[in-house]
Amino acid sequence: MRKLFFTLLLALFAVVVQAKEAPLAAADPELEKRVMELSDELRCLVCQNQTLADSHAELAVDLKNQVREKLASGMSNQEVIDYMVERYGDFVLYRPPVKGATWLLWFGPFLLLVGGIALLALKLKNRRPADNAMPEADLQRAAALLNGTNETEEKA
Amino acid sequence: MKRFLLPLGIFIGLLIFLGIGLRLNPREIPSPFIGKPAPGFKLTQLHEQDKTISPQDMTGKVWMLNVWASWCVSCRAEHPVLMDFAKANVIPVVGLNYKDGRDAGINWLRDFGNPYQMSAFDNDGRVGIDYGVYGVPETFIIDKSGVIRMKHTGPLTHEAISKKIMPLIKELQNA
């Protein structure tokens, strides 16, 4: 009897509670897609290591709304990015632009890698051959000792 | 002796880079507006809703725009410094009340003192975004022709005022 009661109760809940998909912020999924694309390219200036897409900071929400508004008013993706860079500088771009000032940032690691390999190659090339040939007397002593130990082991 | 020169050289190079780099504040984003005209806006005044305020009202004067909010703790910290500065009557101080409630802003000024000639009420923060505001408080020094000359992020200190702001104001006023 109790089993039946609980099964019925569960069935009732299953009917009443139906999770709905979270409503989109804009009715237009195309627009939302563009907003998300741009949000991934823009940096949150408060939590500076996150993109606008990742961040929940109030400024991030504000900026995302600005992006949505500007896109809805007909600006292209590049125009919106320019709009943000005009106000916040290059830092608002999540990926630093490749320009004169950032060459060292972008190409520095490769330069270091190439430089390091070059240095290694040079060092290996110039290495002096091993200068530690053993004197003759020591070699014979070593041979004798080795043979001697072998004989002792066989006898034992 | 020569063997030690290379590691020593690298070490000294590293010392120089770290010495410079570790003293920089990564949270400070330089403003792209330095040397550019202050973005225009037309907002209602905080205390008098039916009056508007815009940067053009201040043309011909060197002035300071201070972005503040009643919910901002650092603004509370810089407030005494700002009050001192306003009392010295060097240049007009205009406030930008950022993302605040009108009553909250008015009450805050009433409780702690009002250094501002007037405050612009930027309820939704759009003017803030136009100015590249990313953290309150921020302060702009704007010259007679409406060009932004300096942006100070974070609370104002007496040191910043005496060392950076006052010399700039003198320079701009003599121009």
Side-chain angles (χ1 to χ4, degrees):
Chain A
M1 216 26 227
R2 268 179 96 186
K3 260 202 213 165
L4 182 61
F5 172 68
F6 276 113
T7 325
L8 280 175
L9 201 63
L10 221 61
L12 183 66
F13 277 140
V15 169
V16 170
V17 178
Q18 278 181 340
K20 293 205 288 219
E21 237 176 71
L24 287 169
D28 183 358
E30 264 302 313
L31 186 67
E32 271 320 289
K33 204 172 80 162
R34 285 174 73 198
V35 172
M36 285 319 284
E37 268 169 24
L38 284 178
S39 303
D40 268 329
E41 290 292 327
L42 294 169
R43 185 191 300 266
C44 170
L45 298 140
V46 179
C47 328
Q48 292 173 341
N49 285 324
Q50 290 183 308
T51 61
L52 281 190
D54 294 332
S55 174
H56 295 292
E58 208 177 318
L59 181 67
V61 176
D62 281 346
L63 286 176
K64 265 188 286 200
N65 287 338
Q66 267 288 58
V67 169
R68 190 175 295 117
E69 250 179 56
K70 294 292 170 195
L71 283 178
S73 77
M75 276 182 154
S76 70
N77 283 15
Q78 187 55 47
E79 279 173 338
V80 174
I81 291 194
D82 289 338
Y83 177 85
M84 288 295 172
V85 171
E86 201 185 314
R87 281 154 184 73
Y88 288 102
D90 282 337
F91 193 60
V92 76
L93 297 170
Y94 200 63
R95 283 185 286 177
V98 185
K99 49 189 220 198
T102 55
W103 269 14
L104 201 57
L105 181 68
W106 276 105
F107 303 122
F110 298 120
L111 288 175
L112 278 178
L113 181 67
V114 167
I117 291 181
L119 207 70
L120 186 66
L122 259 167
K123 275 254 129 105
L124 286 176
K125 202 174 70 161
N126 291 346
R127 204 165 44 172
R128 272 176 290 160
D131 213 11
N132 47 9
M134 281 179 78
E136 195 55 39
D138 281 343
L139 267 173
Q140 284 183 346
R141 240 182 95 215
L145 280 170
L146 284 169
N147 292 335
T149 5
N150 288 348
E151 287 171 6
T152 342
E153 279 176 14
E154 282 171 16
K155 281 187 194 154
Chain B
M1 189 53 207
K2 262 215 239 171
R3 286 182 61 184
F4 300 113
L5 280 184
L6 185 61
L8 185 66
I10 295 179
F11 177 65
I12 291 182
L14 211 61
L15 268 183
I16 295 175
F17 276 114
L18 285 176
I20 301 175
L22 288 175
R23 281 181 219 208
L24 298 173
N25 181 357
R27 305 225 111 237
E28 258 176 35
I29 304 175
S31 170
F33 282 114
I34 310 288
K36 296 225 183 96
F41 61 80
K42 197 154 162 198
L43 294 174
T44 58
Q45 290 191 27
L46 179 67
H47 286 94
E48 293 169 70
Q49 282 192 56
D50 32 333
K51 289 212 189 127
T52 59
I53 172 176
S54 84
Q56 286 127 295
D57 301 339
M58 308 297 293
T59 340
K61 295 184 231 174
V62 181
W63 58 291
M64 170 190 276
L65 181 70
N66 176 262
V67 186
W68 66 278
S70 64
W71 43 261
C72 156
V73 183
S74 307
C75 305
R76 186 74 194 86
E78 81 166 353
H79 202 72
V81 178
L82 203 52
M83 290 294 286
D84 284 344
F85 183 74
K87 283 204 185 91
N89 226 342
V90 184
I91 53 171
V93 182
V94 176
L96 183 70
N97 188 215
Y98 178 72
K99 300 209 71 164
D100 213 351
R102 195 180 282 275
D103 289 331
I106 294 179
N107 290 340
W108 196 84
L109 288 179
R110 190 198 57 215
D111 292 339
F112 298 116
N114 186 358
Y116 307 111
Q117 199 170 80
M118 52 207 144
S119 276
F121 184 57
D122 186 18
N123 182 260
D124 54 9
R126 286 302 156 79
V127 172
I129 291 184
D130 265 345
Y131 274 76
V133 170
Y134 65 95
V136 219
E138 290 184 6
T139 309
F140 297 87
I141 302 290
I142 304 175
D143 72 10
K144 294 180 186 169
S145 39
V147 174
I148 294 182
R149 290 287 168 180
M150 184 183 135
K151 177 183 175 186
H152 179 95
T153 18
L156 285 170
T157 58
H158 281 121
E159 196 184 337
I161 291 192
S162 58
K163 290 220 177 106
K164 294 211 196 117
I165 295 184
M166 288 303 294
L168 178 65
I169 292 177
K170 290 212 166 55
E171 191 190 316
L172 295 175
Q173 280 178 330
N174 292 336

